[in-house]
Amino acid sequence: MTARATAPAAGLATPADALDPRRVVADGYDRIADRYLAWSALRPSAARLRALDLADAQIPAGADVLELGCGAGLPMTARLAIGRNLTGVDISAEQIRRARRNVSDATFIRADLTTLERAPASLDAVVAFYCLTHVPRDEHAALFASIRRWLRPGGVFLGSLGVEDDPGSVEADWLGVDMYFSHFSARVNRRLLQAAGLEVEHAEVVTEPEDRHDARFLWVVARAPHAAPA
């Protein structure tokens, strides 16, 4: 999945208080499956390809990898699954159906990221490309804590987060559907990762083209400590 991580232009968004964010996201990605695949996989942005290269370099062969928001599996999942044990998760039934067809050597689960359960210290890497800004931001801290718990010592988290403040809104006609977004500022996101016990090794704001206007994302590489504190 993908999402803009800066505040929307005036008139493009409405408050999301009366809506179920999960339903908005799941239904939206079900409906735009063809358009989203053409936009994100057939014509991937330079920023998307750069993030994929970074993840590929950071995650060793044979690693146990969890991809949050895997979408239809192209191009990110397909490449990261090569030589690794990868499980992809997405809330959209249609995206999961396509991922299973597109990437036969990975495992896929339809689930809400915020209720996902994994065994402690069972993963070498967790990646989240453009999906966390679809999750209500009040649930981000708990999700980061879960990621830290899932990672083995020295395990890596790589993902895109918000840059500006959005408590939760629905953008009208995003790739043809209403879509929910929510995120904190870049500064708050770094603080939340550190509070979860992850060591931020790299954090960079990157601008890339989106549906109607450029979007900015905070790309982070964070790692679980190699040893428990004394």
Side-chain angles (χ1 to χ4, degrees):
M1 296 188 294
T2 188
R4 61 102 174 96
T6 53
L12 293 180
T14 56
D17 296 345
L19 300 173
D20 178 358
R22 292 160 180 80
R23 176 61 61 186
V24 173
V25 174
D27 288 351
Y29 276 99
D30 284 348
R31 291 169 55 198
I32 62 170
D34 289 333
R35 182 175 178 182
Y36 178 70
L37 184 63
W39 178 56
S40 62
L42 302 183
R43 300 188 302 274
S45 67
R48 184 181 293 267
L49 294 176
R50 180 184 174 193
L52 179 54
D53 287 342
L54 179 61
D56 201 19
Q58 288 281 339
I59 304 171
D64 294 313
V65 184
L66 177 67
E67 182 181 5
L68 303 177
C70 62
L74 299 174
M76 306 300 214
T77 314
R79 181 165 162 192
L80 294 181
I82 298 173
R84 304 180 179 97
N85 305 310
L86 189 144
T87 298
V89 181
D90 203 286
I91 199 171
S92 163
E94 179 60 21
Q95 297 292 339
I96 287 292
R97 185 186 72 81
R98 292 173 180 235
R100 287 172 175 152
R101 181 185 65 197
N102 293 331
V103 191
S104 59
D105 52 352
T107 300
F108 295 97
I109 302 169
R110 185 192 177 197
D112 177 355
L113 307 184
T114 63
T115 61
L116 186 67
E117 296 184 2
R118 306 291 294 185
S122 61
L123 297 169
D124 299 298
V126 177
V127 296
F129 301 112
Y130 303 105
C131 68
L132 298 183
T133 47
H134 288 310
V135 176
R137 69 180 192 176
D138 289 347
E139 301 178 45
H140 288 190
L143 182 55
F144 293 153
S146 293
I147 291 170
R148 165 65 184 89
R149 185 170 61 255
W150 299 334
L151 287 172
R152 295 176 177 130
V156 65
F157 167 65
L158 190 148
S160 57
L161 307 174
V163 173
E164 296 177 0
D165 188 79
D166 184 350
S169 61
V170 173
E171 183 173 339
D173 193 26
W174 184 82
L175 290 178
V177 298
D178 291 347
M179 185 52 65
Y180 175 84
F181 299 96
S182 180
H183 40 81
F184 289 106
S185 68
R187 178 180 58 82
V188 172
N189 280 324
R190 291 189 60 164
R191 189 171 73 232
L192 290 175
L193 290 169
Q194 292 166 345
L198 291 163
E199 300 172 350
V200 179
E201 295 183 346
H202 177 79
E204 179 184 7
V205 174
V206 177
T207 301
E208 60 183 290
E210 228 198 39
D211 186 22
R212 286 174 297 214
H213 49 80
D214 287 349
R216 293 194 300 159
F217 295 91
L218 175 69
W219 283 96
V220 299
V221 177
R223 199 171 296 273
H226 285 274

